[in-house]
Amino acid sequence: MTQKEKVFDYLLEHDSITAFDAVVKLRVTRLAARIAELIEDGVPIVKAWEESTSEETGETTRYIRYSLEPLYAKSMKEMIKWMREEGKMSG
């Protein structure tokens, strides 16, 4: 499975992903590049800036959370469910 496929599957399963998620959970270090590839393939991805403040240091960090456009995500999940029910897809 390619890194791009891993990111896409993660987005379908978890609804969103950050660079930290990609490194820790998928071992993908260049998330922005994989997102750009998905967008180039026509996948509608929404990007939102978020902030998090460390309880230990008080420092604020800004990062991007990527997610699939909601209607696209819903239709993809429904299609996968149907394919599994019809025996056209395993998993």
Side-chain angles (χ1 to χ4, degrees):
M1 180 179 283
T2 67
Q3 288 187 352
K4 180 173 72 172
E5 291 168 335
K6 287 180 184 181
V7 170
F8 184 72
D9 287 352
Y10 189 91
L11 283 167
L12 280 174
E13 187 174 337
H14 300 280
D15 298 324
S16 68
I17 191 169
T18 65
F20 183 79
D21 296 330
V23 170
V24 172
K25 298 174 182 171
L26 305 177
R27 301 191 54 80
V28 171
T29 58
R30 297 191 59 229
L31 178 62
R34 303 299 77 84
I35 294 293
E37 292 170 355
L38 289 168
I39 291 169
E40 188 174 298
D41 289 347
V43 177
I45 294 181
V46 178
K47 146 177 130 168
W49 281 98
E50 295 186 356
E51 289 185 358
S52 177
T53 303
S54 168
E55 293 178 11
E56 295 174 8
T57 65
E59 292 181 15
T60 300
T61 302
R62 287 177 42 98
Y63 56 93
I64 297 174
R65 179 173 300 279
Y66 298 97
S67 58
L68 295 172
E69 191 278 328
L71 288 176
Y72 177 85
K74 182 180 178 190
S75 64
M76 287 298 296
K77 288 175 184 180
E78 288 172 357
M79 184 175 70
I80 290 168
K81 180 181 175 192
W82 175 81
M83 290 177 74
R84 286 184 176 144
E85 288 170 355
E86 295 294 315
K88 299 176 192 245
M89 184 177 180
S90 62

